[in-house]
Each structure stands twice: as structure tokens, then as C-alpha cells.
Amino acid sequence: DGGITQSPKYLFRKEGQNVTLSCEQNLNHDAMYWYRQDPGQGLRLIYYSQIVNDFQKGDIAEGYSVSREKKESFPLTVTSAQKNPTAFYLCASSIGEFNQPQHFGDGTRLSIL
Amino acid sequence: KNQVEQSPQSLIILEGKNCTLQCNYTVSPFSNLRWYKQDTGRGPVSLTIMTFSENTKSNGRYTATLDADTKQSSLHITASQLSDSASYICVVSAAGKSTFGDGTTLTVKP
């Protein structure tokens, strides 16, 4: 079955540590996105990529980094510069631009130790 | 500033009852409006997508309506089931950007 796989499901970060969240899709979608979800709030865009080897900052990119070396993969690194990383992180993909329906993974919950 | 506002913030209904969730937006120019269902601890799943020219779209017991003139949409759930307990998110797309509402949390009780 086609879909988006995020791993791990739960992740814990120590002070000063960088952590990387994995996102893989087999839908052959060109565009991929990372969102952050905090309780009671709407999804906020961190980064997005519409083509391999290219990505753009979203609304809350500070403290995060991404890469897009393969069409299928779009990992997100939460750096030590992100002072409030505790959140639910969602990866999504779509055929083309933002106007297209997005398919979401089941998220990674990141917590601070 | 483009905004998407959903109401109510939370809702509790009894199993078998109907309910309606609201979404008001100021996003312009409008491209499409999508409703998603998000179960606790899971990613959102698409329910419906409507373009400017559509005013009704159904998906089983879910019916979405759109009034592009007043910039309002609603999601009507018929004969609710316990499995309908979730957050429902309204997303409006325009000019290369998607704006997410904060969601309505629906609890269906037996």
C-alpha cells in the first residue's frame, strides 16, 4: 500500500542534542512538507520541498533543518537551537503544489528529557 | 492576514445524533477548501475537498458545504458513531499556501 512512513513514533531529546525525524513516501509525490502541531493549535509549516535538492522555509523554520536528496525521503533535524521542541511533528506529501490534497504520516512525538 | 477560524472549539454529542462544525475564512484568492479528520496520535486524513464552484461534497456520513460568497464552510456529520470522536480540521488553500484552522474536537458518547 502507498503511504507515508514516519519514524520513530516517539523521540526524546537531551539538552544540546540534535535529533533527526525520518519521513519516507512511496506515493511518487513531488512535494513534501513538515508541520509542527501543538495542543489546541493548527498545523504550522516548518519546511517544504517541491523538488529534489530544493527546499524552502516555512513559517517557523528557525531551529530546524532539512534535506531532500531523494524524492522519497525528507528528513527533519531538530537542532539544539530550537529551544521549545516538544511537539507533534507531521510529515506530508502531495502531487504538486500546496493547492493539491496532502497525505499525512502518523507523526513523531518529540519530548525533552 | 489570511485566517481560518473553526467553531466550536470542542463538542460533545450522543451516539446516533447529528452535528455541524463551522469554518470561516478570510483567505483570498481562494483555491480550495479541505476538511480532514485527525484521530488522537495519528496524522490527518482527508474527508472532502471543494473548489470555488462546488457548494456541496459528501463522503459517506460526512457532508461538507461551501458558501464562497460569505466565506463559510460547514461539515455535517449524520448519525454519529463512537469512531467519529476526533479532531476535524479545515484547511483553505490560496496562492501557493495552505492555512490550517485550529480544529474542532468532537467527542461522541454512548
Side-chain angles (χ1 to χ4, degrees):
Chain A
D1 288 340
I4 299 179
T5 302
Q6 290 188 241
S7 63
K9 182 70 173 175
Y10 300 95
L11 187 58
F12 297 91
R13 196 191 87 169
K14 296 179 181 179
E15 290 291 334
Q17 185 181 43
N18 294 350
V19 292
T20 297
L21 284 60
S22 171
C23 178
E24 303 277 335
Q25 57 102 355
N26 60 7
L27 299 166
N28 199 32
H29 285 171
D30 289 315
M32 296 187 74
Y33 315 80
W34 274 105
Y35 292 94
R36 170 178 173 143
Q37 187 175 37
D38 293 285
Q41 296 187 32
L43 275 66
R44 292 183 290 168
L45 182 64
I46 305 172
Y47 268 99
Y48 65 98
S49 168
Q50 295 185 310
I51 195 169
V52 174
N53 292 324
D54 186 49
F55 48 84
Q56 306 295 328
K57 292 182 179 180
D59 300 320
I60 56 165
E62 184 175 352
Y64 301 97
S65 66
V66 294
S67 64
R68 186 87 186 276
E69 298 177 0
K70 298 186 301 182
K71 186 176 184 178
E72 302 80 18
S73 178
F74 191 40
L76 173 73
T77 296
V78 183
T79 74
S80 57
Q82 174 48 246
K83 297 307 180 185
N84 183 25
T86 299
F88 190 51
Y89 291 87
L90 287 162
C91 178
S93 71
S94 63
I95 293 174
E97 63 230 44
F98 276 98
N99 294 343
Q100 299 298 318
Q102 293 169 311
H103 297 256
F104 286 85
D106 274 341
T108 292
R109 187 165 300 280
L110 176 62
S111 302
I112 294 294
L113 279 178
Chain B
K1 180 181 177 181
N2 288 334
Q3 286 190 331
V4 176
E5 295 186 356
Q6 295 188 240
S7 62
Q9 185 175 18
S10 61
L11 181 63
I12 301 174
I13 62 173
L14 293 176
E15 186 179 12
K17 298 297 185 181
N18 303 336
C19 68
T20 300
L21 313 180
Q22 298 291 340
C23 175
N24 297 338
Y25 62 93
T26 60
V27 173
S28 182
F30 175 87
S31 178
N32 64 55
L33 186 147
R34 310 191 290 273
W35 282 95
Y36 288 88
K37 177 187 179 188
Q38 184 178 22
D39 292 319
T40 301
R42 304 292 298 272
V45 174
S46 179
L47 293 175
T48 63
I49 177 170
M50 289 183 291
T51 61
F52 182 89
S53 60
E54 297 174 297
N55 53 29
T56 301
K57 185 71 71 76
S58 291
N59 179 358
R61 295 179 297 102
Y62 300 101
T63 299
T65 63
L66 173 65
D67 185 333
D69 291 332
T70 61
K71 296 186 177 180
Q72 296 179 325
S73 177
S74 63
L75 181 69
H76 187 72
I77 304 175
T78 305
S80 60
Q81 300 176 358
L82 298 178
S83 59
D84 292 331
S85 293
S87 288
Y88 292 84
I89 301 171
C90 175
V91 185
V92 182
S93 291
K97 183 176 174 68
S98 290
T99 303
F100 289 75
D102 290 345
T104 292
T105 300
L106 173 66
T107 302
V108 180
K109 292 194 171 184

